[in-house]
Every structure is written in structure tokens, then in C-alpha cells.
Amino acid sequence: PPRSTLFPYTTLFRSHVYREWSNGERPNIIVLTAGVMPEERKTCMDAGVSEFLSKPVVPADLVRALERCRRIEEAPERGR
């Protein structure tokens, strides 16, 4: 089966993000993919993405993902 190049790039991007930004400033990564297999979702989440959405996108799912990302940003930082 074809192999997605998404995972290595997500991992690379996330490692750069963790080096360059502090906890409160890190951008969220929302993956939008045609992949619907549970292992694809797990691989992305293990790579450090914030949210995982499959195509076709359901607008309500996108809104919920964006709301969860906003809650992550608004949460007080741990250890302060």
C-alpha cells in the first residue's frame, strides 16, 4: 500500500516546534487526511499532533477540533 509522507514531516515539524517555542506559544497541528485507519490516527497522535480529522471533513468535527485546540491554549501552564 502507498505510504504517507505525513508522519515523518509531522514528527520533524513537532521536534522543531518543541525546540523553538515554549509551552504557551506552541502552535497546534491539526492533521487532515484521507486515512481512516485507527493505526494512522495513533501514529499521528504519537508524533505529537493536536487533532486528527479524516476526509470528508464534517464541519462540526472541525469546529470541535478547533475548540479543543483553543482550550489547550487557554489552559494554565503546568508547573507555574
Side-chain angles (χ1 to χ4, degrees), residues 4 6 31-37 40 52-57:
S4 172
L6 173 67
V31 170
L32 175 59
T33 180
V36 295
M37 301 301 292
E40 290 172 294
F52 180 93
L53 298 172
S54 298
K55 295 178 187 176
V57 176

Side-chain angles (χ1 to χ4, degrees), residues 9-22:
Y9 289 116
T10 301
T11 304
L12 180 64
F13 178 74
R14 183 56 85 178
S15 68
H16 173 73
V17 165
Y18 275 79
R19 269 195 324 271
E20 299 296 323
W21 284 283
S22 65

Side-chain angles (χ1 to χ4, degrees), residues 10-11 14 39-49:
T10 301
T11 304
R14 183 56 85 178
E39 53 272 4
E40 290 172 294
R41 182 183 199 296
K42 181 179 180 339
T43 300
C44 283
M45 299 307 283
D46 288 348
V49 302

